[in-house]
Amino acid sequence: MKKTLWFLGLLPGALCGAITVSGVADKSYYTGSATFTIAADAGFAFIANLDGAPVAVGSAVTSQLAGFHDLEITKTPAGGGTSETLSLRFIIQAPGRGGAEAGLPAWTPHAAVADPPSSFTGSTLNLIAPSHWPKDSVLPVVARLTGGDGEGLRLNGKVVLSGVSERSFPLRRGWGSRLLPAVSAGGTIDLAANVQGLAVSRPVVIEDSPSWTDAGGVLSTNTMWPVNSRIHLTGDLTIAAGNTLEIGAGSIVQIDPGVEIIADGTLQVDGNLSDPVVFMPRSGGQVWGGIELNVATSRVNASGAFFTGAGGDASWFGTHPGYASHRGEQALFLIGAAGAELHTDQVWIFDLAGQVMNSRAGAVIDLKRTLIQRCVTGGELSGSTVTIDRSALIEIPSDTPEYIDGDNDALYVTNGIQTIRNTVIGWTKDDGIDSGDNGGAGTVTTLENNWYESIFHEGQALSGVRNVAFNGCVFIDCGQGIEDGYGSPVAIADGCLFSGNLVGARFGDNYNWGYGGSLEVKNSHFAGNFYHDVWGYDWSSWTYNVAPVFNVHDNQLSIPDAVHHPLNTTPVDGSLLAPLMPKPGADVGIAVLPVAGAATPGSYPGTFTLRLSGFSSRQAGATWTLLGSNSQDSPLSPLATGSVVFSPGETLKEIAAPLADPGSYAKLAVSLSAPEAAVVTAGDLWFLNAPAVPFTLIQERAADRHVLRWQGSGAVLERSDDLLNWKALPEAASPAEIEPAIGVGPFFRLRY
């Protein structure tokens, strides 16, 4: 959650008795760094600690660590006597992050790691695409991984497609999608997909000359668009109250820029997995409007359907008063009246220019087995009854390491009843699910068996007046897993896992307002959270909240806190984690994560990060080796080696392996071997000097598309997954579209 903050405080400098500190004040904020000096009075002995570590007295001390800091000073006469003490609490804010992260270090989610092929055994890769498709139109494709029971299986991987051209896209906890380039000629293509050895094929007939029917205006009678219809919406289409527009399986609805569908009656979409219905722009690069449900009789019942390319009006909510929205972009579904209802099942919504949903009080929203991916936000839902089950809300708006302060939540909910179960929520620039301060009596949120991952801020941010229950949820790689913030949210988390986050569970937030709620955490597991497993500070009182307000008991903590939360144990019992794993007891993937920026030997930072594909109920690990060579043509030699052990529940480790002069090497690599309860699922991490022939990488559509341009003639583009085995792509010419990096690799090089 983000708000604008105003701080009125003391001038730098504090005096308490005879202890004098210049440069910082109690309860104060600084950006980037803070420098202070403790006056060293003669005849006195000093003990000074910053965050528990000794600091100098009598000379300037500078800290550049973003987060909350506690400076504790004790001054005692050298000849004996009464000691004096001073405590100064202050915050250093990370540059560019602002008040939304006040009191916390900056957090950037980490690259995903693929699960090993053994984890995919016995599962099914479902490749969903239209069976017939017009030429010269981008082709929507969805991949969903299911287990032997037919339910979603939360594994990571890379779906490699052939049939159009060699393409790939990430599978994030069992979900993924892509718009494939248009095919220019009629015929049949065979989309063959593979993820970690699990294969599936999907034939698609490319229509050379489909016949399109223009539509628009008002439908004042029940209307049927039969199976395999080809509809071109040239203007707004209104379904009058009391009437139904039914769209048959396999139909394609292409929509002109800005055109809207107004469902005062019922829009019935009857697609299926074999022959889905598709709503899309008329032409590539264009954006249509959305679907409005403006009256109590409005209904949308959609199954087996793709929706892509909506949200054409970037300032829609700025010109349509009466709605609550943190963003201005148009929503695909505007559920704007009490009694209006949106129901989806096996629906896939991705690559929108705007939001997915926006609702008013009294609306009903029911999503089942629905994918929401790559949009501005999943939407803002106010006063509505919301049910989401077995779905995914991911990549909001994209999965890149750049920080964006833009309210890009998977969902933002206010008052009403929300029930979200069995759903993957992650890879968002702001929160997974945020909740506004205008909740009220009767606002109840139930969250069961959800998986939150790789979220810049909170997995679930709570505020306002509401009652919230978490049960069996997993929080991985989030800024904070659960935050019980301003207002009076009352929350209970039972049987959850918090692994590899900055903070697992927090009472308080990063503002300075009132905190009248409570958070109880019980029967849960905390492993490898970087800042705190549990944390109870707020910036109104600047004190640590404990029971009964922040009641943490009967949990397993990896960072014991006997002072604030004594009723817990350590370490984590791995046997209790198995039921929360995607495949209980299975091996996990392990990889060295890529580094930001140019990875040259001179940029080697002296550290690297190892990550598992997910937590394990067993101890996992591997041997790491740092290798180097003084010549591009010479083999690598070991420079340092060590072993890493992940305790049950842990997912991230930072390894220190400094080099005195890394820039003196022609190439460096970090390699993994001898994995334990794990499989290495990505190539080595390489630090290479730039090639002699210049090339430029241009990123388009965030992480979804990369274009490589190069100079000179006679070059052959080559591709590799491991930097060892290279495959020539002789047909590639500049500019060439290449696969985006997923985890580590793929790699490309030019050979002249």
Side-chain angles (χ1 to χ4, degrees), residues 119-202:
S119 292
F120 289 79
T121 302
S123 59
T124 300
L125 178 62
N126 302 276
L127 189 65
I128 306 160
S131 62
H132 292 70
W133 192 248
K135 72 174 185 178
D136 299 325
S137 294
V138 293
L139 174 63
V141 175
V142 162
R144 188 176 183 224
L145 187 68
T146 55
D149 58 359
E151 297 298 331
L153 187 58
R154 295 168 175 172
L155 299 179
N156 287 333
K158 181 169 68 174
V159 179
V160 178
L161 279 174
S162 60
V164 178
S165 60
E166 190 168 284
R167 306 280 171 173
S168 66
F169 57 88
L171 189 73
R172 303 201 186 281
R173 298 300 167 197
W175 295 85
S177 68
R178 181 152 187 189
L179 291 175
L180 296 178
V183 179
S184 60
T188 299
I189 61 172
D190 187 22
L191 293 178
N194 187 293
V195 56
Q196 296 295 63
L198 194 65
V200 66
S201 181
R202 169 67 166 166

Side-chain angles (χ1 to χ4, degrees), residues 22-23 79 100 105 186 250 265 395 425 434 444 469 533 554 649 706:
S22 61
E395 294 184 25
I425 301 159
D434 198 355
V444 176
D533 279 345
D554 297 302
H706 288 169

